[in-house]
Every structure is written in structure tokens, then in C-alpha cells.
Amino acid sequence: MDVTAGSTARSRAISALILGYFVVLIYATIANDPLAAAVAEVGFGVIAIAVGAMLYDSAAGWRSAQTLAAGCLVAGGILAFGSVLTGVAAVDLLSSVLVVLGVGSYVYAVWTAT
């Protein structure tokens, strides 16, 4: 498994999205702005889906930990959009749990790849 797979431009774009997400999230927290909080949540979903798609593209096979990570991240990103649209706390929690599971699966994939 090549954990550095993907173009430099794609990696930079995802890094810029992550930085922008944190800037908006910090602003939303400090200003207590619900619109900024919703924008941050949508950004969270976009980032999760983008990283999940990138991981899926470089996965070795459909039964790998990296594929599980990709699926969890994409599902978590989609649920983040659902959370913004519905405002249901359980959907937001499930989105966060799936993203954490996706990150954990990716860490496991990287750890066992050596």
C-alpha cells in the first residue's frame, strides 16, 4: 500500500480545505454564529468525502482496512450533510463516529502496511 499515493495538487487542495475548516470552526465557536457552524459542518462533510475518495482510489483491494476507512469517511461525510439539513443530533453523532472509525481504520492500515 502506498500511503503517499495521489497527486500533489489533490493533497494541497485537501490541506487547504482542512485549514479553511478549522478557521471557520474557530470563528463559529468564538462568534457563536450558527451559520458559520453550519458552513463548518458542511466543510467537515466535504473533507471526509474527499479524503475517503482519495483513500479508495489508492486501496489495494476491497477487503482492506484502507477500503473500510474510505467507506466510513464517505458515509460520515454524507451524514454530516444530513445533520445540517435535519438538525438531528443522532445523525451528527453517527457522522462523527464514522469519521473517527475511518481515521482509526486508516491508522491501522498504515501501521500494518510495513
Side-chain angles (χ1 to χ4, degrees):
M1 171 177 72
D2 182 11
V3 296
T4 61
S7 70
T8 303
R10 183 171 30 176
S11 296
R12 286 184 181 159
I14 290 174
S15 296
L17 282 171
I18 292 170
L19 179 63
Y21 163 75
F22 280 114
V23 167
V24 173
L25 182 65
I26 290 168
Y27 169 76
T29 303
I30 292 171
N32 198 24
D33 184 348
L35 178 60
V39 169
E41 188 71 20
V42 169
F44 179 79
V46 169
I47 292 165
I49 291 170
V51 172
M54 188 173 70
L55 289 178
Y56 184 77
D57 281 345
S58 65
W62 69 272
R63 294 183 62 182
S64 68
Q66 190 171 344
T67 303
L68 174 65
C72 288
L73 287 169
V74 170
I78 292 169
L79 285 176
F81 297 147
S83 171
V84 171
L85 293 174
T86 64
V88 176
V91 175
D92 186 39
L93 177 64
L94 184 57
S95 170
S96 297
V97 167
L98 283 171
V99 169
V100 168
L101 181 62
V103 170
S105 297
Y106 180 67
V107 168
Y108 175 78
V110 169
W111 192 316
T112 59
T114 55

